[in-house]
Amino acid sequence: MNYSSTCDCGEIKINVCFPLPIDEYQARACDCDFCVPRELAYLSDVNGTISFSPRNKMNQLKQGSGQATFWQCSNCKQVVAVTNTSKGETRGAVSKAIFAKKFSLKPSAFISPKNLSPKEKIERWPTVWSKVV
Ligand SMILES: [Zn+2]
């Protein structure tokens, strides 16, 4: 199923293709110091794909162990996605807020990736994140 939305100002376009309807997914709210103040929660399906553009209008932010890249609209400052590139493959998740304004989504689940080691995080992402295309 294909879904598209934009950041708050409309500059950044985000598309996802998930096997199930988007309202069947429970977003994961991260409890780290970066995500909590921004109220970030993430949607992905390991068998889905995500894409976002134009990347030249986005800031790439790092936090914590520095392994993940947070993609932020350089105009409205909304974080739209998080990605990691490992072994030549980029995977990521989209911000729930991007799609929550257009679709009725389930309450988020709370997760604590900050309790994982850098190695554990790298190993976890391919099991939950979507392919970035
Ligand atoms: Zn924007």
Side-chain angles (χ1 to χ4, degrees):
M1 316 265 304
N2 289 292
Y3 300 92
S4 58
S5 192
T6 66
C7 64
D8 282 341
C9 75
E11 191 93 82
I12 308 300
K13 311 261 187 288
I14 303 99
N15 296 295
V16 301
C17 181
F18 288 166
L20 299 173
I22 198 165
D23 58 7
E24 296 200 13
Y25 290 91
Q26 187 173 33
R28 298 174 306 276
C30 174
D31 67 349
C32 81
D33 294 342
F34 180 87
C35 295
V36 170
R38 296 171 173 85
E39 296 182 28
L40 290 170
Y42 301 97
L43 283 168
S44 61
D45 185 299
V46 68
N47 294 314
T49 60
I50 65 175
S51 61
F52 47 88
S53 65
R55 296 195 187 183
N56 63 359
K57 299 228 170 92
M58 302 177 84
N59 301 322
Q60 296 182 44
L61 310 178
K62 298 278 187 181
Q63 64 89 33
S65 52
Q67 300 180 104
T69 302
F70 295 84
W71 295 82
Q72 179 192 53
C73 172
S74 55
N75 184 41
C76 71
K77 307 297 185 213
Q78 188 172 27
V79 172
V80 305
V82 58
T83 66
N84 169 262
T85 301
S86 174
K87 297 175 187 145
E89 182 174 71
T90 302
R91 288 191 166 264
V94 293
S95 164
K96 177 188 184 184
I98 300 289
F99 289 91
K101 62 191 171 194
K102 287 182 71 176
F103 303 97
S104 171
L105 302 177
K106 291 182 179 181
S108 303
F110 286 84
I111 58 164
S112 287
K114 69 184 178 190
N115 294 328
L116 300 177
S117 71
K119 182 168 176 286
E120 286 171 324
K121 283 189 205 174
I122 288 261
E123 287 171 351
R124 174 182 164 270
W125 288 329
T127 69
V128 290
W129 281 2
S130 301
K131 202 166 182 159
V132 177
V133 295

